[in-house]
Amino acid sequence: MIHAVLHDAKDTVAVAVVEGLTAGTELNAWIMDEDKIIHVRASQDIPIGHKVAMKDMEVGDTVFKYGVDIGRVVAPIKAGQHAHVHNIKTKRW
């Protein structure tokens, strides 16, 4: 089962594509461009449609989704954590 999707191998977050991803779930994340599966254990509940971190990130790091820079980290994020507005902000303003 695919739990999350990344478009590009450089993506640092994946999008949850199934309901009910709870902390402790071993996630199968599909990298579309490479047709490859990678794994990360969810350390928090991840709502469908939301981002899950695929690697540890520090404050100031750039976040990549769909192969595109979507913002910067404003609070440390560990692989498997929920990545959202509480720890990622746009670089636009």
Side-chain angles (χ1 to χ4, degrees):
M1 168 185 267
I2 302 298
H3 299 102
V5 173
L6 302 86
H7 283 254
D8 191 286
K10 77 177 180 181
D11 288 352
T12 55
V13 295
V15 177
V17 294
V18 296
E19 294 274 1
L21 295 181
T22 57
T25 302
E26 183 70 28
L27 303 178
N28 296 316
W30 177 43
I31 303 173
M32 294 173 66
D33 288 351
E34 296 182 357
D35 194 22
K36 177 181 174 184
I37 302 292
I38 59 175
H39 309 278
V40 67
R41 182 173 304 278
S43 58
Q44 298 175 315
D45 295 349
I46 312 294
I48 190 170
H50 283 239
K51 297 175 293 299
V52 58
M54 299 308 295
K55 64 177 244 168
D56 293 349
M57 293 178 272
E58 300 299 325
V59 172
D61 286 352
T62 295
V63 180
F64 290 94
K65 176 181 171 188
Y66 306 136
V68 176
D69 174 345
I70 65 160
R72 65 182 168 79
V73 175
V74 295
I77 308 170
K78 297 290 183 192
Q81 287 186 327
H82 185 206
H84 199 51
V85 296
H86 63 284
N87 50 24
I88 299 172
K89 299 293 180 201
T90 182
K91 292 179 180 175
R92 292 181 187 172
W93 52 82

